[in-house]
Amino acid sequence: MTHRSWAVCRKELRDALRDGRTIIAVFVIPFVLYPGLMLFMGWIESQNKKEESTLQVRVGVVGEAQLPAVRERLQGVGGVSVVPLERAPASMEDARVDAVLVLPPGIQPAIARGDSVKVELLYKDADHKSSAAEERTRPVLDDVRRALIVLWAQSHGAQVNQPPAISVEHRDVSSKAETGRFIAALVIPYILVFMVAAGSMHIAIDTTTGEKERSTLETLLSTSTSRGELVLGKCMAVITTALTAGFIGIFGLWFNLTVLAGLMPALSGQSLQLTIRPDQALFIFLTVLPTAIFLGAALVAIGCFARSMREGQTYATYVYMAAVFLGLGSFRQVGAPPIGRFTIPILNTALLQREILTDTVVPIHAIVAIGMSAAMAAVMLVIATRLFSNESVLFRT
Amino acid sequence: MIEVLNLRKTFHDRKKGDIPAVRDISFVCSPGHVFGLLGRNGAGKTTTLRMLATILAPTSGTARIDGFDVNDHAGDVRKRIGYLSGDTKLYDRLTGRELLEYFGQLTGMASSAISSRIAELKGSFGLGDFLDKRVGKMSTGMKQRLSLARVVLHDPPVLIFDEPTSGLDVLGAREVLKIVRDLKAKGRTIIFSTHIMTEAERICDEIAIIERGSILAQGTVESLQRENGGGSLEDVFVKTVGEVNGDA
């Protein structure tokens, strides 16, 4: 990094900081818009749950006379109306019910014979109201099971009228800190990729294609600063902006989910304890650096190649989308990913960051991911420099 | 000193094939002289000057700027030139001072040298009123003065001006020509392209008429007039260019 490259970098950053679009991309969107949207979506979800709890659903019961206790139990569930049916309807819409509990005919003799009995709850997962009806009816299925057990016991000569008071329940015992850590490991790698790509997009195109479109390129090329120094300076500015956007994004997420959500009673249900230890923060920075260089250099290369800002922004959007989809790949990762995934740029960084945040780093994963990202970053820097030195690319019309 | 020898530039187009933009041109310009490249739009003036400024690489032939070959010592050439194109813009979000400091750094000047040179140019180019104003808020005339100050900031011995009065009003253009004359008086080697005959007549010591990438005629204004049977430079230009296009 030469003195002249620093001069280019400083100028580009100064220029960018005076451009409202960069301020919005680097500061406003990561700090306010994205975390704010996430909070808003959480709030919408909680409102939906509230509305769902007051929803009235109609559950049809076929063969209710065989187990009268089931009907009583269902009627005791809030917001459920029981509709007796003779048979399972061909269409729930036509029968005007949201779910149907089907008790097959001849339950008692079947149990006495030792035959298997199948009770079904029919509903539509693709329908919110039907899903709500299923959710409310589900606990009643336990009562059905118990009632069938009583029938079975009676058929075998047992003198019982009530089922045993046995219940099997599930309960989430995660603390807020544990949930926060889980969410952090899930969301932070993705958000970082997302922010780094979004933060570098505008400035990368503005510092390259912008020079062509504003007719400042010739002046720059006629100075005694080499093309390599110019590209390096521009890439440095892009990378600085990308990293700033990434960390502001994380800070914004923490501020919104931990501080702001805790302060606002309406959002307190959405508050999380997003904690990252200093050593984790340091390692995350080390992993995001080669990715930022790779993305920055790729976008600068695209900017060198593009003829106009519009063309450059179109190409940059494809890179941005590719980065976002690769980042998304880390979302559904369960267990230790195969080593091959750590060779894929961007995805490897997101996966490694998950390991860092969950304290499950596998050294070979770290070596492959960082090594591969650094190699790709170097290749992209070379490509960007070559394109910036190629007059048929720079002056193509 | 500028020495151009058989300089050629051919662009390649996938559909049209090879397009010769400059065809084996040669000329020499000495210190303290203004060499004019006179030609229509698309005649090859800008391509020639871009090759001299090492922005484009020649397809064949060469040029020596202040003793350095444009092919082999592009970096040394760039240290010795100041390049200004008429359609060149500046960075709107920087102030005039920041812009000069930036280009000073790019040409390798020390901070102290940049500051003292800016102070010097502030007076001689009349930048005082707007030096700390953002370029985007400057008038066209202010921007042109700032561009000229940027070109001479590192005090280069060779100056390349590609239609520097393009888009300027009469007063602005007059101001630019005055600065070019002052630089000539200081012994700088200047190459000046234009399609405005009166400008060429007023400041050029020698003129080359360029058409379709070739130099058709070259000499002082007087010698060109003499060889073409008198008349104005415009008459000479129309006659020379018309002959090659077959409409004289």
Side-chain angles (χ1 to χ4, degrees), chain A residues 15 18 211 218-219 225 391, chain B residues 9 57 83 88 93 98 106:
Chain A
D15 205 352
R18 289 176 185 172
E211 296 264 16
E218 277 180 79
T219 312
T225 301
E391 64 180 50
Chain B
K9 182 70 185 178
Y83 175 80
T88 295
R93 293 189 285 265
E98 286 165 349
L106 292 187

Side-chain angles (χ1 to χ4, degrees), chain A residues 38 48 86 152 179 181 218 322 325 363 381:
Chain A
M38 285 182 73
N48 285 345
E86 284 186 12
W152 177 82
T179 308
R181 197 158 53 237
E218 277 180 79
F325 279 111
L381 275 176

Side-chain angles (χ1 to χ4, degrees), chain A residues 82-350:
Chain A
V82 178
V83 180
L85 296 171
E86 284 186 12
R87 68 184 73 82
S91 157
M92 283 200 272
E93 287 82 1
D94 292 344
R96 299 182 58 212
V97 289
D98 303 300
V100 181
L101 183 65
V102 183
L103 303 170
I107 288 181
Q108 214 155 357
I111 285 178
R113 283 195 306 271
D115 293 349
S116 77
V117 171
K118 189 164 78 174
V119 175
E120 287 180 305
L121 177 62
L122 311 176
Y123 75 104
K124 289 184 174 179
D125 210 15
D127 181 320
H128 278 302
K129 204 174 172 192
S130 185
S131 291
E134 184 270 340
E135 212 168 285
R136 285 181 206 177
T137 311
R138 205 185 305 144
V140 178
L141 292 177
D142 283 342
D143 294 325
V144 172
R145 273 189 211 102
R146 283 197 286 267
L148 291 174
I149 289 168
V150 168
L151 283 178
W152 177 82
Q154 285 171 343
S155 73
H156 284 76
Q159 298 293 314
V160 287
N161 293 317
Q162 291 293 320
I166 300 168
S167 70
V168 179
E169 290 177 357
H170 57 93
R171 188 156 53 92
D172 183 6
V173 293
S174 313
S175 66
K176 249 189 170 180
E178 284 170 324
T179 308
R181 197 158 53 237
F182 174 76
I183 299 286
L186 198 70
V187 173
I188 286 176
Y190 175 65
I191 291 280
L192 260 177
V193 166
F194 191 52
M195 299 293 175
V196 163
S200 52
M201 222 170 96
H202 174 68
I203 184 173
I205 302 303
D206 192 59
T207 58
T208 48
T209 320
E211 296 264 16
K212 293 184 194 178
E213 203 159 279
R214 289 188 297 264
S215 304
T216 48
L217 184 64
E218 277 180 79
T219 312
L220 197 61
L221 296 179
S222 66
T223 65
S224 55
T225 301
S226 72
R227 309 279 162 101
E229 287 173 315
L230 290 173
V231 169
L232 203 58
K234 285 175 184 292
C235 283
M236 278 297 299
V238 174
I239 292 157
T240 307
T241 314
L243 289 174
T244 308
F247 284 101
I248 285 176
I250 298 299
F251 180 73
L253 201 66
W254 169 81
F255 182 78
N256 279 274
L257 290 179
T258 306
V259 182
L260 204 60
L263 289 174
M264 296 167 74
L267 296 173
S268 59
Q270 308 302 308
S271 72
L272 286 170
Q273 286 179 16
L274 285 184
T275 48
I276 307 175
R277 297 193 311 269
D279 59 314
Q280 288 175 322
L282 177 70
F283 285 124
I284 284 177
F285 178 77
L286 288 178
T287 58
V288 85
L289 191 61
T291 303
I293 298 173
F294 167 69
L295 271 175
L299 288 166
V300 166
I302 282 170
C304 294
F305 180 76
R307 280 170 289 205
S308 65
M309 290 286 276
R310 182 180 279 192
E311 188 183 329
Q313 274 156 355
T314 304
Y315 295 150
T317 305
Y318 300 144
V319 172
Y320 172 71
M321 283 170 68
V324 166
F325 279 111
L326 283 169
L328 263 178
S330 69
F331 238 75
R332 297 287 299 158
Q333 185 65 51
V334 180
I339 189 81
R341 295 215 184 139
F342 289 87
T343 60
I344 303 168
I346 298 170
L347 174 63
N348 57 6
T349 310

Side-chain angles (χ1 to χ4, degrees), chain B residues 165 168-179 181 202:
Chain B
T165 58
L168 292 182
D169 59 24
V170 178
L171 293 176
R174 189 179 272 250
E175 208 167 343
V176 170
L177 296 182
K178 182 186 172 297
I179 290 169
R181 268 196 297 267
R202 278 160 65 185

Side-chain angles (χ1 to χ4, degrees), chain B residues 9-26:
Chain B
K9 182 70 185 178
T10 305
F11 292 111
H12 185 76
D13 184 274
R14 257 185 290 176
K15 287 178 188 163
K16 297 175 189 167
D18 284 347
I19 304 164
V22 175
R23 305 168 198 241
D24 303 315
I25 64 167
S26 301

